Amino acid sequence: MTFPNFSVAFERRMHLAATFFLCVIPIFLLFARGAADGAVVLIALLFLVRSGVHRDWSWAREKDILILLVIFVLMNVFVSPFAEHVGKSFGRSLSWLRFVVFYAAVTRWVLTDERTIRRFTIVLLCTLGVAALDAIYQFFSGWSLLSGQPMNGRLTGPLDRPNIGMYLSKLGLPALAMASMLFAVKQSKKIFVFGCALSPILLVVVFLSGERAASVLTLLAVILILFSLFLTGGMARKVSAGLTVVGGIALAILLATSDRIWGRVEDLASVVSDYTDSIYGQLVMMGLRFFGDHPLTGAGMGNYPLVCEDYTALGLSNVPCHPHPHNFYVEWLSDTGLIGTIPFTIFMAMLYWMGIKVLFGPRETRLLGGLYLGVLVMSLFPFSVTQSLFSNWPAILAWTSIASAVAALRFATRKAV
């Protein structure tokens, strides 16, 4: 393919640079969060430069990206100008564009060929394997070999906070989805085998971490994957049954032998049984209160802690003020009102529908459908305590996970045509 007034060699260099930045994002998320955000921005900028040079903006008209761009416009035209704290809201709403363009770049440019997907999958699996082994080392020694981070009652691995379970789950599932896709289109069996061999180690760390949201969501994702294997039929159905039995026994042993993990389960049961009086229930109710006061536009992007402080100062609330309501659906309602929440819900429905079609489609890609839906469950499950989908680290983690899975699904769909 030739491009007028544009060197093919330069195109390849841009793509190689974007691929490099994508590959280092999982590494940066472990050690340098600011660098990870910088990599996201650079990928987005490279994609915009490429689109400008080629004068090809067709990607902006594709349904999933178009609706994200519409949300961006709505945020900046109708939400931020009417926010409780306008400057804070514009800071969040304007910078959110980097995630939209990053998602477009990964799904429409970077991860669109077999070689790049294979390279990224290998790097991602190796990074996850190193992080998981470091977390296991920390579990037995009390400190991380890579970062020196102490355990302090919660497993962190090389991270500086107890998020290693969510990190491994949100990136492990898309890595397996890409490996499954490569196997389904007969491009690489070795990577798929490597991913399958690494999976038990990742799962062990996720459940040992004691992160309630990560553990429960991972369990739901595993159930989806086992269901996709059952739908595949043949030997896969027997594998599904065997893994279900083995997994159930392993989980029972973990709960029976670890007082720490059992204590986390009891904490979860206590929160669920008395949700409205728990801190998470109070934060959610506070977010819904902000939405009730501003049903159309919300209180403003990133305004949750600021408005909470305003309410506290006026004596209208005694709930501890956190950065977000710990549920991203409530965060959308609280920060953007119906104007932002409705179109984003449509975007999520589109993503889920793509996975459902693959799950009940050709047999060879049903496992990919289960893994893809597992990715969405990890980031988009509505009834879960979540981190913010707008702030840097969790947002980068979520968008990298979702974009990688969407890219794998699109590649498999094109190959099937």
Side-chain angles (χ1 to χ4, degrees):
M1 181 183 295
T2 60
F3 303 103
N5 303 320
F6 190 72
S7 167
V8 174
F10 186 52
E11 160 75 12
R12 289 174 179 170
R13 290 191 187 99
M14 291 182 67
H15 186 270
L16 184 61
T19 302
F20 169 77
F21 289 128
L22 181 62
C23 288
V24 297
I25 284 176
I27 302 172
F28 285 156
L29 284 172
L30 289 172
F31 304 107
R33 299 169 186 229
D37 205 358
V40 168
V41 172
L42 287 171
I43 292 171
L45 289 175
L46 285 170
F47 186 53
L48 291 176
V49 169
R50 178 190 182 276
S51 300
V53 170
H54 293 326
R55 297 176 183 174
D56 178 14
W57 303 94
S58 59
W59 54 269
R61 296 192 296 271
E62 298 194 33
K63 293 179 181 178
D64 54 340
I65 300 172
L66 179 60
I67 196 166
L68 290 176
L69 291 172
V70 168
I71 294 171
F72 171 73
V73 172
L74 293 173
M75 284 178 175
N76 289 283
V77 175
F78 295 104
V79 174
S80 289
F82 303 100
E84 291 286 327
H85 298 268
V86 174
K88 175 68 172 180
S89 186
F90 268 119
R92 279 287 177 89
S93 61
L94 289 171
S95 63
W96 194 72
L97 181 63
R98 71 193 189 278
F99 295 122
V100 178
V101 182
F102 171 75
Y103 169 83
V106 172
T107 59
R108 268 61 174 188
W109 179 43
V110 184
L111 295 181
T112 56
D113 64 278
E114 175 267 329
R115 177 184 293 182
T116 303
I117 294 175
R118 187 171 64 239
R119 288 174 177 173
F120 178 57
T121 304
I122 292 172
V123 171
L124 185 53
L125 287 172
C126 290
T127 303
L128 294 171
V130 171
L133 291 175
D134 182 75
I136 292 174
Y137 179 86
Q138 185 190 49
F139 180 77
F140 288 106
S141 70
W143 53 278
S144 164
L145 186 63
L146 293 176
S147 66
Q149 180 73 20
M151 186 170 172
N152 288 334
R154 297 286 301 276
L155 200 61
T156 67
L159 295 169
D160 59 0
R161 62 180 70 181
N163 288 143
I164 188 64
M166 194 64 78
Y167 172 86
L168 294 178
S169 293
K170 285 193 174 182
L171 292 182
L173 285 167
L176 288 173
M178 289 184 288
S180 171
M181 181 276 296
L182 292 170
F183 178 69
V185 299
K186 298 179 174 57
Q187 294 293 333
S188 178
K189 182 179 180 180
K190 292 181 181 178
I191 296 177
F192 179 65
V193 172
F194 177 43
C196 291
L198 183 62
S199 296
I201 300 175
L202 302 183
L203 287 173
V204 165
V205 176
V206 170
F207 290 113
L208 281 179
S209 71
E211 295 172 43
R212 293 174 296 193
S215 299
V216 173
L217 293 177
T218 299
L219 188 59
L220 291 176
V222 168
I223 292 172
L224 274 171
I225 295 166
L226 293 174
F227 179 65
S228 67
L229 283 172
F230 181 82
L231 287 179
T232 302
M235 181 57 68
R237 184 166 294 180
K238 296 179 182 179
V239 172
S240 174
L243 289 176
T244 301
V245 173
V246 172
I249 293 173
L251 187 59
I253 292 174
L254 176 64
L255 293 175
T257 57
S258 175
D259 292 336
R260 183 174 66 88
I261 301 301
W262 181 250
R264 298 297 291 169
V265 173
E266 290 181 328
D267 291 341
L268 175 62
S270 176
V271 169
V272 172
S273 64
D274 195 17
Y275 183 74
T276 54
D277 289 331
S278 70
I279 181 60
Y280 299 112
Q282 292 176 32
L283 293 173
V284 164
M285 295 307 295
M286 177 64 72
L288 293 176
R289 183 176 178 180
F290 297 162
F291 166 65
D293 291 342
H294 311 274
L296 290 179
T297 63
M301 297 283 290
N303 273 206
Y304 182 90
L306 301 177
V307 178
C308 179
E309 291 172 1
D310 292 342
Y311 274 46
T312 301
L314 293 172
L316 301 176
S317 171
N318 58 0
V319 176
C321 294
H322 285 234
H324 52 85
H326 286 73
N327 180 289
F328 85 90
Y329 284 88
V330 176
E331 184 178 29
W332 274 97
L333 287 170
S334 169
D335 286 16
T336 70
L338 294 176
I339 285 178
T341 304
I342 290 176
F344 190 76
T345 302
I346 295 172
F347 170 73
M348 290 186 295
M350 292 170 58
L351 294 186
Y352 273 109
W353 179 240
M354 289 166 55
I356 291 172
K357 288 192 295 184
V358 174
L359 181 64
F360 293 97
R363 288 181 55 185
E364 60 271 15
T365 57
R366 288 176 183 172
L367 175 59
L368 171 60
L371 287 163
Y372 170 85
L373 290 172
V375 170
L376 299 188
V377 163
M378 288 303 306
S379 293
L380 303 177
F381 189 71
F383 307 109
S384 172
V385 174
T386 63
Q387 297 173 308
S388 173
L389 202 63
F390 302 141
S391 60
N392 295 350
W393 192 87
I396 296 169
L397 184 63
W399 284 109
T400 301
S401 175
I402 294 169
S404 302
V406 170
L409 205 69
R410 285 176 55 83
F411 186 88
T413 303
R414 289 200 310 272
K415 283 288 184 178
V417 175

